[in-house]
Amino acid sequence: MADVWLAVAQSKDIEQGKTLAVDVNGQSLLICHTEEGFFAIENQCTHDELPLDGGELDGCELECPYHGARFDVRDGQARCLPAVTGVKHFPVRVEGEVIQVQLD
């Protein structure tokens, strides 16, 4: 079975250091634009199941806007309490101006 890449946004629509919440096939994702490129994580904090959208992106770490948990957007790992479990992350590629994500 071939890999399926889904278009989720235009790269010009997400400034570096910012995020964009998107729904893909019923799943809420957060597209993060860092100095290292674009990354996609699940848009739900593992600490309290609240959305990560609106959190502050500092380098490659995203801080949950509710309780301050931090996640590495490159691999989804939790970086500080109160979260102890990482968020799901997804492969991303950019084709021209189109950001594409591969779901499981």
Side-chain angles (χ1 to χ4, degrees), residues 18-83:
K18 302 294 183 185
T19 64
L20 176 69
V22 296
D23 287 322
V24 182
N25 291 348
Q27 194 163 8
S28 183
L29 306 180
L30 195 63
I31 309 302
C32 306
H33 187 181
T34 74
E35 218 173 73
E36 295 183 26
F38 291 93
F39 298 93
I41 59 173
E42 187 175 32
N43 186 21
Q44 184 177 45
C45 182
T46 57
H47 161 247
D48 204 14
E49 299 182 1
L50 294 168
L52 290 169
D53 186 27
E56 184 178 333
L57 186 60
D58 182 14
C60 288
E61 286 193 1
L62 180 74
E63 183 174 323
C64 176
Y66 298 97
H67 301 112
R70 295 179 71 85
F71 301 92
D72 189 322
V73 299
R74 297 170 293 189
D75 58 14
Q77 290 187 5
R79 292 292 182 208
C80 84
L81 296 173

